[in-house]
Amino acid sequence: MIKPQNNGFILIVDDNPTNLSVLCAALNSEGFRFRVAVDGETAIAQAERNQPELILLDVQMPGIDGFETCRRLKANPLTENIPIIFTTALADTESKTKGFSLGAVDYIPKPFAQEEVIARVRVHLQLKQLTESLEQQVSDRTKALQQAQVQLVQQEKLSTLGELIAGIGHEINNPINFISSNIPPLEEYIAGITKLLFLYEQEYPNPTTKITNAVEKLDLNFVLEDMGKILNSLEIGSERIRNLSNSLRSFCRSDSDTKISADLHQGLDSTLMILQHRIKANGDRPGIKIIKSYGVLPEVNCYLGQMNQVFMNILANAIDALDEAIIEGKMSNLIPQIKIATEIDYEKLVVIRIADNGIGIPERLKKRLFEPLFTTKSVGKGTGLGLSIAYEIVVEKHKGVLDVNSQAGMGTEFIIKIPI
């Protein structure tokens, strides 16, 4: 038997006691729950407070008639989806057409036949339930398809990015190993040659004019001193390249199928290293100041490559926001900065806060930030997938929390919480 769902009910709207008695008896005989209103205004007020599953609405009533009552109910977002069946003695085509045009789903003619009332009520309750079920299925399928799209894009990005970075890291690693491994013997050779030259100078204090001219032209003392500085610069440069190579290899460890214990600080630092070219000063803005406030964190069981992607998306968005604010002249004399803070909170969760001092995000947009394909960036500058992928990784993959705090003119802060 089709009945109103859960605690739902049928609202009967009629001013005639006889009609009410017949309708109430018919519904009661089949176990339907119902309420009664004797005029249109009362019916509208009741329907707004507690929406019924179905309304049986008399056309001819004192005050506003059934047609006007139906029009107002359909114009109200709270009641527009409630099916309305007119109960009337008016059988002319014009009245029926008017009712249907106002949004009614059916007519029950007077005098009532109890079997017809029950049959029509059951049909329209069933139609309503089927419609709601179909809408829910469509909503669920749409959400599932969006999640599948995000996951596919995420996997493709991770795979492509991992291969690219791993290849770059490998190509960097070979020549830098060659350079760095040859610096120590080169230092020994230069030191030996320098010592030998000093010995020649001591043993042969009066060289020929040709040698004297050559020494002066070369500026031998300066060259010997500068070679040491050049070697030192080579050592520093090769070490920085080695660190970059290590950061690239650390960043691209996708570990897509297995969680590992990882140092999230290393992931943050690797990401910052890769973004260094965007953090430095350029023609449009000064360099972005990175402020780190790292707490003491244990290693976290996570998909490290995916967490690095989260850091990349959020930090890149922060840089984009600062760039846009400066180009539009909305930062006045502020120094662009990004603060990164980590801690363990009272729930024993690892908390990572990434905040910029840009112009912030309007309140009306905050709730949509993690929706797939939604972006606040101009056309061609964002896909709308970065933050939705980050949300999928943090919330779905790691059972964590990804939230955002932002006020207009006060910057934006993303909060990531991950179970240890």
Side-chain angles (χ1 to χ4, degrees), residues 161-182:
L161 188 62
E163 290 177 7
L164 175 64
I165 292 178
I168 293 172
H170 179 72
E171 291 301 320
I172 290 176
N173 208 41
N174 287 336
I176 201 60
N177 282 339
F178 173 78
I179 293 171
S180 60
S181 63
N182 280 288

Side-chain angles (χ1 to χ4, degrees), residues 127-411:
L127 286 173
K128 183 175 186 292
Q129 292 175 11
L130 289 173
T131 300
E132 290 176 347
S133 175
L134 180 60
E135 288 175 349
Q136 185 61 47
Q137 288 180 41
V138 170
S139 176
D140 291 344
R141 287 291 179 89
T142 302
K143 184 177 180 181
L145 286 172
Q146 286 181 335
Q147 289 178 341
Q149 180 187 34
V150 168
Q151 289 174 355
L152 286 172
V153 172
Q154 173 195 338
Q155 291 169 2
E156 182 63 24
K157 286 181 70 175
L158 275 176
S159 175
T160 304
L161 188 62
E163 290 177 7
L164 175 64
I165 292 178
I168 293 172
H170 179 72
E171 291 301 320
I172 290 176
N173 208 41
N174 287 336
I176 201 60
N177 282 339
F178 173 78
I179 293 171
S180 60
S181 63
N182 280 288
I183 288 176
L186 183 58
E187 287 178 323
E188 293 180 12
Y189 299 156
I190 291 175
I193 292 172
T194 302
K195 185 177 179 181
L196 181 61
L197 288 172
F198 284 144
L199 283 175
Y200 266 103
E201 194 175 51
Q202 291 171 8
E203 294 296 326
Y204 299 96
N206 299 310
T208 65
T209 302
K210 189 175 182 179
I211 292 176
T212 302
N213 291 338
V215 169
E216 289 177 356
K217 185 177 180 180
L218 181 62
D219 195 355
L220 182 61
N221 289 332
F222 170 79
V223 169
L224 291 175
E225 180 182 350
D226 200 44
M227 281 195 299
K229 294 179 180 178
I230 291 173
L231 280 173
N232 186 54
S233 297
L234 286 173
E235 285 182 316
I236 293 172
S238 61
E239 184 61 28
R240 290 184 65 179
I241 296 173
R242 187 188 299 279
N243 289 338
L244 175 59
S245 177
N246 290 336
S247 295
L248 290 172
R249 290 201 301 275
S250 173
F251 183 89
C252 74
R253 291 171 61 194
S254 59
D255 299 308
S256 57
D257 297 325
T258 308
K259 288 184 176 181
I260 62 169
S261 294
D263 180 358
L264 293 183
H265 288 157
Q266 185 183 40
L268 286 164
D269 291 339
S270 298
T271 307
L272 288 170
M273 177 74 74
I274 293 170
L275 290 171
Q276 193 63 37
H277 68 289
R278 297 196 59 200
I279 294 171
K280 292 179 179 179
N282 58 41
D284 298 320
R285 62 153 172 80
I288 297 173
K289 185 177 182 181
I290 304 296
I291 302 172
K292 297 180 185 179
S293 179
Y294 288 174
V296 178
L297 298 184
E299 290 196 340
V300 177
N301 196 36
C302 66
Y303 301 103
L304 180 58
Q306 295 184 23
M307 286 305 303
N308 286 342
Q309 188 180 6
V310 173
F311 301 150
M312 175 68 77
N313 286 337
I314 293 176
L315 286 167
N317 275 351
I319 295 171
D320 288 341
L322 292 171
D323 284 345
E324 183 178 351
I326 291 170
I327 291 172
E328 295 179 0
K330 297 179 180 179
M331 289 280 291
S332 61
N333 295 322
L334 291 176
I335 297 174
Q337 64 181 32
I338 296 175
K339 295 181 180 179
I340 306 174
T342 63
E343 63 179 352
I344 302 289
D345 72 357
Y346 67 94
E347 295 180 322
K348 302 301 181 185
L349 298 173
V350 170
V351 182
I352 301 163
R353 301 176 184 273
I354 301 175
D356 65 68
N357 63 337
I359 57 176
I361 300 170
E363 186 66 30
R364 61 187 174 83
L365 299 180
K366 280 170 57 178
K367 65 180 69 174
R368 299 192 61 196
L369 280 181
F370 304 119
E371 292 181 11
L373 305 178
F374 176 78
T375 179
T376 59
K377 299 176 184 177
S378 57
V379 176
K381 292 189 176 180
T383 62
L385 289 171
L387 288 178
S388 62
I389 288 174
Y391 188 87
E392 174 81 15
I393 291 170
V394 173
V395 177
E396 301 297 331
K397 294 291 186 69
H398 291 87
K399 307 305 178 186
V401 175
L402 178 58
D403 203 357
V404 59
N405 291 328
S406 185
Q407 294 181 354
M410 300 294 289

